Amino acid sequence: MHALGTHLLIELKDCNSRILRDVGAVQDAMVAAAKAAQATIVCVTFHEFSPFGVSGVVVIAESHLTIHTWPEYRYAAVDIFTCGDILQPEVAADHLIKVFQCKTPSVVEMKRGILSNGKTKLPHKVVEDTMESHVRIDELQMVP
């Protein structure tokens, strides 16, 4: 089964709350995780909430890493979405588990963009776009 990308959904419970509330430490950890996975960093933005909590994204050429922390619960939710064959998202996840001193991690892997039914790897090529391949807005049905 070949997919366009791998998406790791990471639950980090029982972390060091001091680290989770420090926007600089969280940003440094996420950037280091992207580098450890061999990602190409495009953009980094983080925000510190009051009274506490951090949200941030590391945009990479291969997709993104995102985080939101709840230091008061010693918890962080992390998404690592990568495409291509070179990146190692599990290395990034392991890095974050260590840096945040997580005692109870959970990592769920999802394959995204499974567009073929066989052992054929999907090529990365431009495909001619036609209206027949799109659903028009007036054709959509709302489900109550």
Side-chain angles (χ1 to χ4, degrees), residues 44-59:
V44 176
T45 186
F46 281 76
H47 177 78
E48 183 175 17
F49 293 95
S50 179
F52 34 71
V54 174
S55 282
V57 61
V58 178
V59 178

Side-chain angles (χ1 to χ4, degrees), residues 3-140:
L4 294 176
T6 299
H7 196 161
L8 300 184
L9 304 173
I10 305 166
E11 302 277 307
L12 300 177
K13 300 176 184 175
D14 302 316
C15 296
N16 182 318
S17 63
R18 181 187 52 76
I19 298 169
L20 294 182
R21 76 171 30 105
D22 181 339
V23 67
V26 172
Q27 179 173 321
D28 289 349
M30 293 290 286
V31 168
K35 288 178 180 178
Q38 301 180 26
T40 305
I41 297 174
V42 174
C43 177
V44 176
T45 186
F46 281 76
H47 177 78
E48 183 175 17
F49 293 95
S50 179
F52 34 71
V54 174
S55 282
V57 61
V58 178
V59 178
I60 58 176
E62 304 83 4
S63 201
H64 66 269
L65 290 80
T66 61
I67 188 168
H68 187 77
T69 73
W70 285 264
E72 69 274 29
Y73 298 111
R74 301 173 54 214
Y75 170 78
V78 177
D79 284 0
I80 301 174
F81 185 30
T82 63
C83 56
D85 297 329
I86 296 172
L87 259 65
Q88 300 173 315
E90 63 282 348
V91 171
D94 290 342
H95 176 78
L96 295 172
I97 290 166
K98 289 176 189 164
V99 169
F100 296 134
Q101 301 171 12
C102 178
K103 293 184 176 87
T104 315
S106 170
V107 179
V108 174
E109 179 178 315
M110 296 178 61
K111 294 297 183 185
R112 305 288 304 268
I114 301 171
L115 304 176
S116 68
N117 289 334
K119 296 182 180 182
T120 305
K121 185 174 178 185
L122 297 170
H124 286 280
K125 66 179 181 177
V126 176
V127 178
E128 186 64 31
D129 197 10
T130 63
M131 280 304 292
E132 293 82 38
S133 66
H134 295 283
V135 175
R136 292 186 358 224
I137 256 276
D138 60 349
E139 294 173 342
L140 295 176

